Amino acid sequence: MHVQLNPTGVLNLLSKLEVDLLQQTSTIEKYRLFRNCVLAVLNVGSHTDSSYEIYNKYRDFDIKLLSRERGIKIELTNPPESAFVDGKIIAGIHEHIFSVIRDILFICQRYEEQLTDPKQITHMVFDMLRNAGALEVNTDPNMVVCWGGHSINEEEYKYTKEVGYQLGLRGLNICTGCGPGAMKGPMKGATIGHAKQRITSNRYLGLTEPSIIAAEPPNPIVNELVILPDIEKRLEAFVRTAHAIIIFPGGAGTAEELLYLLGILLHPDNAKQQLPVILTGPGSSKAYFDELCDFVEKTLGKEALSKFEVLVDQPELVAQKLSHGMEQVREYRKTQGDAYYFNWTLKIEEQFQHPFEPTHDNMAELDLHLAQPTQNLAANLRRAFSGIVAGNVKEQGIAAIKQQGPYILSGDTSLMTDMDKLLRAFVAQGRMKLPGSAYVPCYQIKS
């Protein structure tokens, strides 16, 4: 099967030099990354969260950039049939493919070298969001970032939809990691709320990164897709575009996101920041939040608990609080002279910006001891959970675990005990893999 597609979005209008540069970029090592991201986008609706399985299943898939006088076209060879209806590619998938080209090939020409300066890293995040059209000026704060697991049960999924519905009724837009589960539910619910209110400027922003996109391909509701280079820049994009954050039940990835957020909010320079954070789920999820809060208090202290609120089984109240909170966000940004569309005043230190490669050596060397500044501990705990996510669903992580066995995590006895307790709860609640598949831990915890 061979299919040729015309460009969409920012790639509609390219100079000959830009076309030539795109073709050159696609012939070097980025090609494999580019190919895999396009395959992930084409594979929406997959019933596996293993990127290895997806890439292995479609080994005969290929993609080429074709130069034309008026720009570029792409040619797909043996793409997944599920991306087509009566021989025509689904419009949303078509758009997302060119989002991949824009972010993986086009934008990468500007940032060939690894950035180390914090200001440059933040600029890159801003530049990618701006280039994707994801930063809307002259609009009041209304973007709610929703975090949560891709592996949640039906009751939790329905709850995320109800929260999204209540947010949509109040004219709030949704940003998620763009995958299934708690990332899809709020968007799906919001579409109904927006439709009832006859809102036509509705936004469903999906932020992802190359190593996770196969396990969590963009769900069909995402109408804006941005692929950041790594998890750290993806997380920074979340918190700088957010006007409020909701955290639904999830596994290691959700814990990583919460630890990242708390590590930033605990910085003294962020003490006055207005960023409402609510943890919420159905009544059956209370045990999950109890475990998570217990872990946060024992590791980061009571001050960390003050940075968020837990509301169980109250979807309407969640939406009401965040809707009212938007005015506080607006007033704070206004007094600080900060933009509504990108939180420049949020202080993010280097340990939360620099990419962490979850090799066996790096995981073993993590400083998981309580006798260190709280912000540093949050950063190291975030890295530990990031590594577990890699071992669970990311291609390189899965391959490393197969070759070298599980990651070894060690540190203070009390800290390791608390981490083991939390992870065991995640496993028991089925939060580490998609339902129906057995979970084999990719880690060992030692004190």
Side-chain angles (χ1 to χ4, degrees):
M1 182 179 181
H2 295 272
V3 179
Q4 290 189 0
L5 302 175
N6 291 314
T8 63
V10 70
L11 299 180
N12 258 332
L13 198 61
L14 295 177
S15 71
K16 286 291 292 179
L17 178 60
E18 288 171 328
V19 172
D20 291 342
L21 287 173
L22 272 177
Q23 286 199 302
Q24 291 169 24
T25 305
S26 67
T27 62
I28 56 179
E29 68 274 3
K30 289 190 180 70
Y31 169 75
R32 180 174 175 275
L33 180 66
F34 166 55
R35 173 197 175 275
N36 287 349
C37 286
V38 171
L39 178 56
V41 165
L42 287 163
N43 207 44
V44 171
S46 169
H47 297 292
T48 177
D49 59 356
S50 170
S51 54
Y52 175 83
E53 289 182 19
I54 293 170
Y55 297 146
N56 190 55
K57 180 178 179 181
Y58 295 101
R59 285 174 295 181
D60 60 349
F61 168 73
D62 195 17
I63 179 170
K64 293 179 181 178
L65 293 180
L66 307 177
S67 177
R68 295 289 183 268
E69 288 301 321
R70 57 186 180 184
I72 61 167
K73 296 185 77 170
I74 65 169
E75 183 178 77
L76 307 177
T77 301
N78 298 322
E81 293 182 5
S82 59
F84 297 81
V85 176
D86 298 335
K88 294 183 178 180
I89 193 166
I90 295 171
I93 293 177
H94 187 173
E95 291 176 1
H96 291 340
I97 288 174
F98 282 91
S99 295
V100 174
I101 297 176
R102 179 198 66 215
D103 294 336
I104 299 298
L105 299 184
F106 194 65
I107 264 291
C108 282
Q109 295 171 20
R110 305 180 192 175
Y111 303 99
E112 288 293 337
E113 297 180 3
Q114 186 67 256
L115 302 178
T116 56
D117 181 76
K119 290 184 178 179
Q120 290 181 336
I121 292 172
T122 296
H123 170 75
M124 180 182 185
V125 172
F126 170 80
D127 193 25
M128 293 194 72
L129 291 169
R130 176 179 58 181
N131 192 63
L135 301 178
E136 288 197 347
V137 298
N138 303 321
T139 57
D140 286 334
N142 65 8
M143 183 62 76
V144 180
V145 166
C146 297
W147 287 338
H150 71 294
S151 177
I152 57 174
N153 60 45
E154 187 64 23
E155 183 180 1
E156 290 172 341
Y157 177 67
K158 289 180 178 179
Y159 183 84
T160 67
K161 286 200 297 184
E162 179 60 27
V163 171
Y165 171 67
Q166 295 294 337
L167 295 172
L169 287 177
R170 290 161 177 82
L172 299 177
N173 289 314
I174 309 293
C175 172
T176 77
C178 83
M183 292 166 275
K184 179 182 177 182
M187 290 183 169
K188 194 168 186 178
T191 59
I192 306 301
H194 289 150
K196 281 191 173 183
Q197 297 287 22
R198 299 300 186 264
I199 295 171
T200 57
S201 58
N202 39 335
R203 299 182 64 201
Y204 310 110
L205 174 61
L207 303 179
T208 186
E209 49 105 1
S211 65
I212 201 72
I213 192 171
E216 299 175 356
N219 69 66
I221 303 164
V222 172
N223 60 8
E224 300 177 43
L225 176 66
V226 186
I227 306 169
L228 286 302
D230 51 58
I231 184 63
E232 287 77 13
K233 293 177 184 64
R234 180 196 190 200
L235 289 169
E236 181 164 351
F238 275 128
V239 297
R240 291 204 187 272
T241 57
H243 300 121
I245 296 178
I246 295 175
I247 301 178
F248 294 107
T254 304
E256 175 188 4
E257 291 163 338
L258 176 60
L259 290 165
Y260 173 89
L261 178 63
L262 292 177
I264 291 171
L265 294 181
L266 287 169
H267 193 287
D269 289 359
N270 294 325
K272 296 182 179 180
Q273 280 283 337
Q274 294 297 317
L275 183 64
V277 180
I278 295 178
L279 277 60
T280 189
S284 59
S285 301
K286 185 177 184 303
Y288 166 82
F289 293 115
D290 289 343
E291 292 278 1
L292 199 57
C293 290
D294 183 59
F295 179 77
V296 168
E297 182 176 6
K298 287 179 177 178
T299 55
L300 304 182
K302 289 188 177 180
E303 184 185 356
L305 292 179
S306 70
K307 300 299 180 181
F308 60 85
E309 184 177 4
V310 179
L311 294 175
V312 176
D313 206 20
Q314 300 182 77
E316 188 171 357
L317 181 59
V318 169
Q320 287 173 344
K321 280 179 170 286
L322 296 188
S323 181
H324 294 153
M326 291 298 162
E327 184 58 33
Q328 294 175 313
V329 173
R330 183 180 182 277
E331 286 304 309
Y332 175 78
R333 301 277 183 97
K334 191 175 180 179
T335 58
Q336 296 296 311
D338 201 359
Y340 295 160
Y341 53 83
F342 192 84
N343 191 343
W344 290 104
T345 60
L346 190 69
K347 176 69 174 179
I348 302 180
E349 294 211 327
E350 293 182 35
Q351 63 261 47
F352 292 99
Q353 290 185 311
H354 292 165
F356 172 71
E357 186 179 356
T359 64
H360 280 71
D361 287 343
N362 288 344
M363 290 287 281
E365 292 172 2
L366 283 174
D367 184 1
L368 300 177
H369 297 84
L370 295 172
Q372 60 180 307
T374 303
Q375 191 178 0
N376 292 349
L377 177 57
N380 285 320
L381 286 171
R382 198 284 301 177
R383 294 180 182 119
F385 282 97
S386 184
I388 292 172
V389 173
N392 283 347
V393 300
K394 296 183 180 180
E395 183 186 18
Q396 289 183 328
I398 293 171
I401 298 299
K402 286 186 176 181
Q403 292 173 2
Q404 303 177 53
Y407 296 127
I408 305 298
L409 295 170
S410 61
D412 286 342
T413 300
S414 60
L415 178 55
M416 293 296 95
T417 300
D418 293 334
M419 181 179 285
D420 187 47
K421 180 172 176 285
L422 181 65
L423 288 169
R424 286 179 182 273
F426 289 168
V427 174
Q429 295 167 13
R431 302 191 182 281
M432 301 290 262
K433 291 290 287 183
L434 286 176
S437 57
Y439 178 67
V440 179
C442 65
Y443 59 88
Q444 285 183 7
I445 292 185
K446 296 183 178 181
S447 59

